Amino acid sequence: MRDFYGVTLDTPLMLGTAQYPSPAVLAEAFRCSRASVATVSLRREQGGGQDFWSLIKELGVHVLPNTAGCHTVREAVTTAHMAREVFGTKWIKLEVIGEEDTLQPDVFGLVEAARVLSEDGFEVFPYTTEDLVVAGKLLDAGCKVLMPWGAPIGSGLGLNNLFGLRAMRAHFPDVPLVIDAGLGLPSQAAQAMELGYDAILLNTAVAKAGDPAMMAEGFARALEAGRLAFDADPMEPRDMAAPSTPVIGKAFLE
């Protein structure tokens, strides 16, 4: 597994901490998910206070603060600085939202904010689209990780642009890539890993499931299966049938 700013994760799952019905359910979901990273919002932390922060620390995972809900460069940069003070980490998941209905990133503001934060010592995880030009500009701005969306946040639609995501993996073979947002089922996460992605970040699919812990375990197993499939060098799809049983030596009647 590739490292993320020098950190090698035990598992490829990054799990959000919002929308769970209770702290106990959140903790159990993390246990079943075997997630290596917890994403946290400064706004969420302020709502839960020290009790929430204590719960996050007890999970024993890496913490990735985010700038969720930010719509401008200034707002995102300010939130990132506050998060660094609160959570004591240089990691930041950078979100600069540009469109309300889809929560699509404002890629122009994203690149600008990424450059400002990288120059200030942050290790930026940018929530972006699968656009290759934007990806290149984010890398030029100092990012060493890319986090393209699978689909709009919270939609559960899965991987909307397989061609674009496959192209990003091929175009940036040495860059850690994380599918961030839009997954609703473990099968979609397995598909992302089969494409060669390095990790998955999700929240709603687990937190809003009828049984979050069971869904979290489903994602954990799917990620493992997807990674095994990718590492096994799977067969290429083909248009025509090919017999799986050899015909050489086949018995026949005259």
Side-chain angles (χ1 to χ4, degrees):
M1 185 183 297
R2 291 179 176 86
D3 66 74
F4 296 83
Y5 292 102
V7 175
T8 300
L9 303 179
D10 293 332
T11 68
L13 181 57
M14 304 178 180
L15 189 58
T17 56
Q19 306 185 72
Y20 291 86
S22 73
V25 172
L26 185 157
E28 180 64 9
F30 264 84
R31 186 188 68 79
C32 292
S33 73
R34 303 188 287 280
S36 293
V37 175
T39 62
V40 293
S41 167
L42 184 63
R43 290 171 170 80
R44 172 67 181 86
E45 193 278 337
Q46 288 174 325
Q50 289 301 316
D51 289 342
F52 174 74
W53 183 218
S54 296
L55 172 62
I56 298 303
K57 289 191 288 188
E58 289 171 2
L59 295 175
V61 298
H62 299 281
V63 175
L64 176 60
N66 65 46
T67 63
C70 293
H71 290 76
T72 67
V73 172
R74 181 176 180 180
E75 187 179 12
V77 169
T78 300
T79 301
H81 279 87
M82 294 173 65
R84 182 165 63 179
E85 297 254 343
V86 171
F87 299 110
T89 177
K90 294 186 291 184
W91 281 12
I92 190 73
K93 179 193 169 187
L94 180 60
E95 296 183 25
V96 183
I97 300 301
E99 204 281 320
E100 283 295 335
D101 290 334
T102 62
L103 299 180
Q104 179 169 327
D106 171 2
V107 295
F108 304 101
L110 181 68
V111 171
E112 183 180 347
R115 187 179 307 280
V116 171
L117 292 173
S118 295
E119 290 175 352
D120 198 33
F122 283 87
E123 296 173 341
V124 180
F125 294 66
Y127 163 62
T128 184
T129 65
E130 66 277 18
D131 188 288
L132 298 182
V133 177
V134 174
K137 291 186 180 299
L138 286 168
L139 295 174
D140 291 342
C143 298
K144 296 182 180 179
V145 174
L146 295 171
M147 302 180 73
W149 64 347
I153 294 171
S155 67
L157 292 172
L159 305 181
N160 276 356
N161 185 357
L162 284 174
F163 171 81
L165 294 172
R166 189 178 289 113
M168 179 173 278
R169 177 71 284 172
H171 201 74
F172 302 105
D174 300 321
V175 176
L177 298 181
V178 182
I179 292 293
D180 178 11
L183 301 186
L185 292 169
S187 57
Q188 297 163 352
Q191 185 180 29
M193 299 302 287
E194 290 168 2
L195 291 178
Y197 277 71
D198 301 291
I200 302 297
L201 193 158
L202 57 91
N203 188 169
T204 308
V206 170
K208 289 297 187 180
D211 188 328
M214 185 179 295
M215 184 63 77
E217 184 167 349
F219 272 101
R221 296 185 184 188
L223 290 173
E224 183 177 358
R227 171 54 67 184
L228 286 171
F230 175 76
D231 290 341
D233 190 17
M235 63 174 285
E236 292 290 332
R238 52 186 297 153
D239 294 329
M240 302 296 291
S244 57
T245 301
V247 296
I248 298 175
K250 177 181 177 182
F252 62 93
L253 297 176
E254 293 186 355

